[in-house]
Amino acid sequence: MAVTDDAPSADPTATRRADRSRSADAAVEAVFRIESPRVIAAVTRVVRDVGLAEELAQDALVAALEQWPEQGVPDNPGAWLLTVARRRAVDLVRRKERYAQKLAELGRDLESVPPPEEPADPDDIDDDLLRLVFISCHPVLSAEARIALTLKLLGGLSTPEIARAFLAPEATLAQRIVRAKRTLAKQGVAFEVPYGPDREARLGSVLEVIYLIFNEGYAATAGDDLLRPALCEDALRLARVLQGLMPDEAEVHGLAALLELQQSRATTRTGPDGEPVLLADQNRTRWNRLLIRRGLDALARAHACGGAPGPYTLQAAIAGCHAEALTYEETDWAQIVALYDLLAARTRSPVVELNRAVAVSMAHGPERALELVDALAAASGLRAYHLLPSVRGDLLARLGRTAEARAEFERAADLARNARERELLLKKAAELGS
């Protein structure tokens, strides 16, 4: 039926109320994604249980969804969420255990001093956040569980978002996260930052998880897209947070430098249709100069900490060589080979050796590099790694061994799990003719 001129108009009061509600809901979602790690960290200090702390933070989120549309978004929404979650944590402690016993355990008077709207000392929050970082990446958890829990608690991602990011069933991810929290509770993992000999090992786990998250976003191992920008952004944000919390740790700055420099090239790594664009073909005028400056500054801070450079700092130095070269031809390949020599000695990684072979091919020619790649191919470590035949195909093509190169590209395509990489490899094979 057609609408006539005298049809009733919408109630303006109801419209304004609906707009205010939608605006408040959007504010709650945005604030919670940013503030939830700090809220969970602060509440964990009270209840000593990461899973329970997350539930209390979710309770605070529900309270915000109920109250903010009517009362308006508070001036300091993060402090509001923290206050509500803390109060509920205190109430829970009072109900579940004798209050005096809990006071003695926590060493502070929760009854006479109400939770403040904001922490008197911002460093208290940072200390809690640092503890949460180390709990999420505790070695008692598997690498997959660490990544999922870190993205959930520190990245502010929902379980469906994490499942989509890693192309895993949502139920599988949910179970993984639940098991991780149960494991932490069962093992009685202390809410503390380790010191002494244990700290280096624990820090290595933290850095590895952030590195793996970024890598999955920067070069997706499977699926239809080469990049998953949201994962890169989450990893970069975690690295920056860690820089602020641990300013004297060289490898923390090294990892941050590496991610900043890698991310500076992100927009040039794919073409208009999502196809991969190789480093030699990227438009360097479109590289993000701000991220490059941030990366080089972080690299300088890593070196200023002293000591022999670690794996992340060395990788950042390699990325810095690429970032400082105005053209692909001006790249200081000899310096990159020297850095890869140091990195290979530190990591004993066949993937690093393969990357080193690529640098050797640019500095000393493909024939010498092919010897290195053939030696790697003889070992079993990279037999199912698609980049090994891909690199070998490039070297053979440069040496004029076309038929062999084409066969290597086709084998690499068979091994590749990412659709975009597979298309690129098949295109290379086709370009070499029959």
Side-chain angles (χ1 to χ4, degrees):
M1 183 174 64
V3 178
T4 62
D5 290 340
D6 58 351
S9 60
D11 181 356
T13 301
T15 301
R16 285 195 299 271
R17 187 181 298 112
D19 289 343
R20 186 168 65 246
S21 178
R22 283 192 294 269
S23 176
D25 288 351
V28 171
E29 181 180 354
V31 169
F32 191 75
R33 185 180 287 263
I34 295 170
E35 297 293 339
S36 60
R38 295 178 180 274
V39 175
I40 294 169
V43 174
T44 301
R45 176 144 56 95
V46 178
V47 298
R48 304 287 167 170
D49 185 316
V50 171
L52 183 55
E54 187 185 11
E55 291 177 11
L56 292 167
Q58 291 288 342
D59 286 347
L61 170 65
V62 171
L65 288 170
E66 293 172 347
Q67 298 179 35
W68 291 8
E70 295 298 326
Q71 301 175 5
V73 179
D75 293 335
N76 193 331
W80 190 97
L81 289 169
L82 177 58
T83 298
V84 171
R86 273 179 166 170
R87 284 175 178 163
R88 297 192 178 197
V90 172
D91 290 341
L92 185 65
V93 169
R94 287 170 175 162
R95 288 197 306 269
K96 287 196 170 184
E97 297 186 26
R98 288 189 308 111
Y99 189 41
Q101 178 183 351
K102 197 61 182 178
L103 283 180
E105 178 186 337
L106 299 178
R108 58 192 180 92
D109 187 354
L110 296 175
E111 185 174 32
S112 60
V113 182
E117 286 296 312
E118 285 187 271
D121 183 357
D123 288 340
D124 287 344
I125 285 287
D126 286 348
D127 288 344
D128 288 342
L129 187 58
L130 185 57
R131 293 184 183 102
L132 186 61
V133 170
F134 275 89
I135 286 178
S136 300
C137 299
H138 197 283
V140 299
L141 303 176
S142 67
E144 295 83 1
R146 292 177 213 164
I147 292 173
L149 192 61
T150 300
L151 286 175
K152 187 78 164 64
L153 299 182
L154 294 159
L157 274 67
S158 67
T159 300
E161 287 174 324
I162 301 171
R164 285 196 301 272
F166 287 96
L167 304 178
E170 184 178 334
T172 300
L173 258 297
Q175 290 173 2
R176 187 175 296 167
I177 292 170
V178 169
R179 283 197 299 268
K181 289 185 284 192
R182 286 176 179 168
T183 299
L184 293 175
K186 184 178 180 180
Q187 295 288 333
V189 174
F191 186 59
E192 63 184 13
V193 176
Y195 293 93
D198 188 41
R199 179 164 180 165
E200 184 176 350
R202 292 279 296 277
L203 178 59
S205 177
V206 171
L207 298 180
E208 179 188 24
V209 165
I210 297 174
Y211 179 71
L212 291 174
I213 292 170
F214 183 87
N215 275 358
E216 183 60 30
Y218 192 72
T221 55
D224 296 329
D225 298 318
L226 182 69
L227 305 179
R228 294 176 187 162
L231 286 180
C232 291
E233 292 165 6
D234 284 315
L236 189 52
R237 182 170 66 83
L238 292 173
R240 289 169 179 169
V241 167
L242 207 57
Q243 269 189 292
L245 298 177
M246 307 184 72
D248 298 325
E249 293 287 349
E251 279 289 77
V252 170
H253 296 300
L255 177 63
L258 174 61
L259 303 195
E260 301 275 11
L261 292 167
Q262 296 290 76
Q263 185 68 3
S264 72
R265 307 199 298 262
T267 58
T268 65
R269 295 188 65 243
T270 55
D273 297 324
E275 71 278 10
V277 178
L278 300 178
L279 180 62
D281 302 323
Q282 290 173 15
N283 182 354
R284 298 188 177 217
T285 63
R286 293 180 53 220
W287 285 2
N288 189 314
R289 307 313 300 183
L290 173 61
L291 291 179
I292 290 174
R293 285 198 299 274
R294 289 180 63 100
L296 295 176
D297 286 346
L299 182 59
R301 292 174 69 184
H303 288 309
C305 289
Y312 297 114
T313 300
L314 289 170
Q315 290 180 73
I318 292 168
C321 289
H322 290 298
E324 292 178 314
L326 297 179
T327 66
Y328 186 74
E329 292 71 26
E330 294 177 46
T331 305
D332 189 348
W333 290 107
Q335 176 64 17
I336 290 176
V337 170
L339 290 167
Y340 268 122
D341 288 343
L342 295 174
L343 183 60
R346 288 294 302 269
T347 62
R348 305 294 180 186
S349 164
V351 174
V352 170
E353 293 285 0
L354 182 62
N355 291 331
R356 176 177 173 272
V358 174
V360 167
S361 77
M362 300 305 299
H364 306 295
E367 189 168 1
R368 183 169 167 184
L370 185 59
E371 296 176 2
L372 300 174
V373 174
D374 285 344
L376 286 171
S380 60
L382 297 180
R383 193 159 292 166
Y385 187 50
H386 71 285
L387 291 183
L388 177 63
S390 174
V391 169
R392 194 168 188 275
D394 278 322
L395 298 176
L396 290 168
R398 287 167 61 186
L399 291 169
R401 296 162 60 176
T402 307
E404 294 174 83
R406 185 175 62 254
E408 288 295 296
F409 286 134
E410 290 172 348
R411 187 163 73 89
D414 288 340
L415 292 171
R417 294 169 55 201
N418 183 278
R420 294 296 187 177
E421 286 188 299
R422 188 161 52 249
E423 291 170 3
L424 176 64
L425 292 164
L426 291 174
K427 180 181 177 182
K428 284 186 173 185
E431 287 173 349
L432 292 175
S434 59

